[in-house]
Amino acid sequence: MSTAMKVGAVIITMGNRPEELRALLDSVAKQDGDPVEVVVVGNGSPVPDVPEGVRTIELPENLGIPGGRNVGIEAFGPSGREVDILMFLDDDGLLPNHDTAELCREAFTADPKLGIVSFRIADPDTGVTQRRHVPRLRASDPMRSSRVTTFLGGANAVRTQVLAEVGGLPDEFFYAHEETDLAWRALDAGWMIDYRSDMVLYHPTTAPSRHAVYHRMVARNRVWLARRNLPAPLVPVYLGVWLLLTLLRRPSRPALKAWFGGFREGWSTSCGPRRPMKWRTVWRLTRLGRPPVI
């Protein structure tokens, strides 16, 4: 039954990692089962040379991570409907195992309510999975698979029926928290999300703060995330908790200044359509170990 599900892959690139991109594409081509159809999106840059059969799209400007991935989704038809499953993979990642696509087919076939699978990210040299790459509060054991409430943006698989039902990633976020926005909408529609330790993407260990816009985008999008998705009474609670956590982490003065600038921007600019989740979804998130106040 699993082989009946068609799998595609969306990879966005800035064109600055051609060797890593080629290695990733080779690892996708080696997946067991039916071939995985691949689209590479040049996000404001030319796409490096790719193997024959890999489709490419070159965007005239950088649309950000969610915008670029949404273009890749639509390359498979509206909401990706030409395939049943879409894998989203970072261009400097690598699938070390040949059975990842087949495991995706099996997982989605076995559980009709499974909407999203989050892969385990491991450093290719050490095999270590960073705590922040385990999408749950109890993250000490990355080898434990479980139901979760969000997923990792560059190492996941999504049932395209989810995208058709709840929409794609929020273009306006550009970078940061776009996965949680989609995850909350999917959970509110009744879908489930799994973290699977046996589905692995190799990716070099990095710090998210390497991006110059990190602190501003994280704060702005955190506000947008709450304004778009949470019941009104939970919005100040959620943002108050994250403000406290940010201060407890004692960021540098420039980082804190950027964070507060983004926080203000999140309140003063449009966050897109507001569709607060149902209270029963709040309870589902709580039962899954992550109430939407943290």
Side-chain angles (χ1 to χ4, degrees):
M1 291 178 62
S2 64
T3 56
M5 301 194 81
K6 294 181 65 176
V7 180
V10 173
I11 302 164
I12 59 173
T13 184
M14 299 292 290
N16 56 350
R17 294 189 281 238
E19 293 180 4
E20 292 90 337
L21 174 62
R22 187 58 181 251
L24 171 62
L25 293 171
D26 289 345
S27 73
V28 174
K30 293 175 182 176
Q31 292 299 298
D32 298 336
D34 294 337
V36 177
E37 300 180 38
V38 182
V39 169
V40 177
V41 178
N43 212 356
S45 68
V47 176
D49 290 338
V50 297
E52 185 177 353
V54 173
R55 288 186 284 169
T56 62
I57 300 171
E58 295 184 353
L59 302 177
E61 62 178 309
N62 182 356
L63 299 183
I65 293 173
R69 286 182 177 143
N70 283 338
V71 169
I73 291 169
E74 296 301 306
F76 290 94
S79 301
R81 67 184 181 191
E82 294 173 5
V83 295
D84 303 294
I85 303 164
L86 276 175
M87 296 193 297
F88 296 89
L89 306 170
D90 276 351
D91 68 341
D92 56 345
L94 180 79
L95 295 174
N97 303 323
H98 295 178
D99 63 350
T100 303
E102 271 294 275
L103 288 173
C104 286
R105 293 185 181 101
E106 292 170 4
F108 286 112
T109 300
D111 185 351
K113 295 308 295 178
L114 179 62
I116 303 171
V117 173
S118 188
F119 301 168
R120 179 169 62 89
I121 294 178
D123 184 271
D125 296 322
T126 66
V128 171
T129 296
Q130 291 180 275
R131 188 181 181 90
R132 69 184 182 90
H133 284 153
V134 183
R136 59 177 179 243
L137 291 179
R138 297 175 181 175
S140 60
D141 182 6
M143 300 308 294
R144 179 173 67 87
S145 299
S146 69
R147 294 283 200 200
V148 289
T149 61
T150 189
F151 63 98
L152 306 173
N156 68 81
V158 178
R159 190 190 297 265
T160 54
Q161 187 180 345
V162 173
L163 302 171
E165 186 173 338
V166 307
L169 297 157
D171 286 341
E172 56 268 42
F173 278 41
F174 197 84
Y175 164 77
H177 302 319
E178 65 272 7
E179 302 90 358
T180 300
D181 187 87
L182 176 57
W184 283 0
R185 285 182 281 126
L187 288 162
D188 197 47
W191 297 99
M192 301 302 293
I193 305 171
D194 279 357
Y195 166 73
R196 288 282 298 265
S197 64
D198 57 337
M199 301 183 190
V200 182
L201 182 87
Y202 278 169
H203 189 280
T205 297
T206 55
S209 55
R210 71 189 184 280
H211 300 290
V213 297
Y214 172 76
H215 296 287
R216 180 175 70 87
M217 292 291 192
V218 161
R220 184 198 68 180
N221 292 359
R222 184 78 71 185
V223 177
W224 281 357
L225 180 68
R227 290 175 59 198
R228 285 164 59 95
N229 295 287
L230 291 181
L234 294 185
V235 173
V237 179
Y238 177 82
L239 295 176
V241 168
W242 278 103
L243 172 60
L244 178 61
L245 288 173
T246 299
L247 295 175
L248 289 174
R249 290 169 179 168
R250 302 177 68 182
S252 66
R253 186 178 295 272
L256 194 60
K257 182 179 179 181
W259 193 94
F260 274 109
F263 193 81
R264 288 191 296 270
E265 185 182 349
W267 286 108
S268 62
T269 56
S270 172
C271 64
R274 173 168 164 76
R275 300 187 182 93
M277 66 177 65
K278 308 173 190 72
W279 282 104
R280 66 171 176 262
T281 304
V282 173
W283 177 237
R284 284 182 67 204
L285 289 163
T286 302
R287 287 191 294 116
L288 288 168
R290 188 149 198 166
V293 293
I294 188 170

